[in-house]
Amino acid sequence: MRIKNILIAVIGSVGNEPEALRQTLEYFGYFVGVKYIGRPNDLISVLKGDLPFDPDCIILSCHGENGEIIMPELGEDIYEPNEPRGNITASDIEMHLRLQGKFILNLGCTTGTKAMGKVFSRRNAYIASDDYTEGNAALYFTIALFYELSKDGVQLEDAYKTAKATDSETSLFQLFR
């Protein structure tokens, strides 16, 4: 899997992570776009493949808890009919995921559960942390992973092993295929 184009989907308040990633990944030679996710239906449109361009990789820059993607809380009068309320679960993703042949990197803590991995990896490669990861470690893991992938001939599995081997925090990231 050769990765050239990356979409960073920014879900909620994640500080400067998306900007740090964008600047670094562009420096490595990747084309990087950013899409801000303000509501569950915005994330659902990404999962369905309604994207601003055709990325090889989608990075979900978000927070996670108990194996779920934490979504911004909206007022009840703001939600659209049939829009999911609360956090996004593996079953929510299973209902809407239409992406195929993508590499999806989820930076939300605990989103590397077996349930989430099974859903995302049916038609895609998926990497996420199976526990609570220190934020700097998630950023570092991503930069190390894409640095390795920028080298000619390096496969996802090899880049993943290198990035994961850094320390006990980066070792929390799991690869699902």
Side-chain angles (χ1 to χ4, degrees):
M1 170 182 283
R2 182 82 174 129
I3 296 172
K4 296 180 191 172
N5 302 311
I6 301 168
L7 175 65
I8 301 173
V10 182
I11 305 166
S13 178
V14 291
N16 291 332
E17 178 180 85
E19 189 60 30
L21 286 173
R22 181 178 193 166
Q23 294 295 322
T24 304
L25 298 177
E26 285 178 348
Y27 191 82
F28 290 164
Y30 297 99
F31 172 82
V32 182
V34 177
K35 180 173 177 70
Y36 291 90
I37 307 295
R39 60 183 319 124
N41 280 347
D42 292 344
L43 179 56
I44 288 169
S45 72
V46 168
L47 296 173
K48 288 182 175 181
D50 182 19
L51 305 168
F53 61 96
D54 186 23
D56 308 304
C57 173
I58 299 172
I59 298 174
L60 301 176
S61 179
C62 63
H63 291 289
E65 186 173 61
N66 300 321
E68 300 174 353
I69 297 171
I70 297 175
M71 293 301 298
E73 196 170 320
L74 306 176
E76 193 56 41
D77 58 330
I78 302 298
Y79 285 103
E80 296 171 352
N82 301 318
E83 187 170 23
R85 298 334 191 239
N87 296 336
I88 301 295
T89 66
S91 61
D92 292 325
I93 291 166
E94 187 170 32
M95 278 193 310
H96 302 288
L97 186 64
R98 302 291 175 266
L99 297 170
Q100 280 188 286
K102 306 290 182 197
F103 165 39
I104 301 168
L105 173 59
N106 192 335
L107 300 180
C109 291
T110 74
T111 57
T113 62
K114 288 181 182 173
M116 204 62 101
K118 181 180 177 184
V119 169
F120 271 114
S121 68
R122 267 194 204 123
R123 295 182 220 116
N124 305 282
Y126 179 68
I127 294 178
S129 173
D130 65 1
D131 204 344
Y132 292 92
T133 308
E134 197 276 319
N136 290 335
L139 177 63
Y140 176 81
F141 173 86
T142 305
I143 291 170
L145 179 75
F146 283 97
Y147 172 75
E148 291 298 318
L149 287 171
S150 71
K151 299 175 183 176
D152 284 338
V154 175
Q155 298 298 310
L156 179 60
E157 290 82 4
D158 296 326
Y160 162 73
K161 288 176 187 172
T162 300
K164 179 183 173 93
T166 303
D167 62 19
S168 62
E169 291 292 316
T170 58
S171 70
L172 297 173
F173 285 89
Q174 306 302 316
L175 170 63
F176 301 87
R177 283 210 103 153

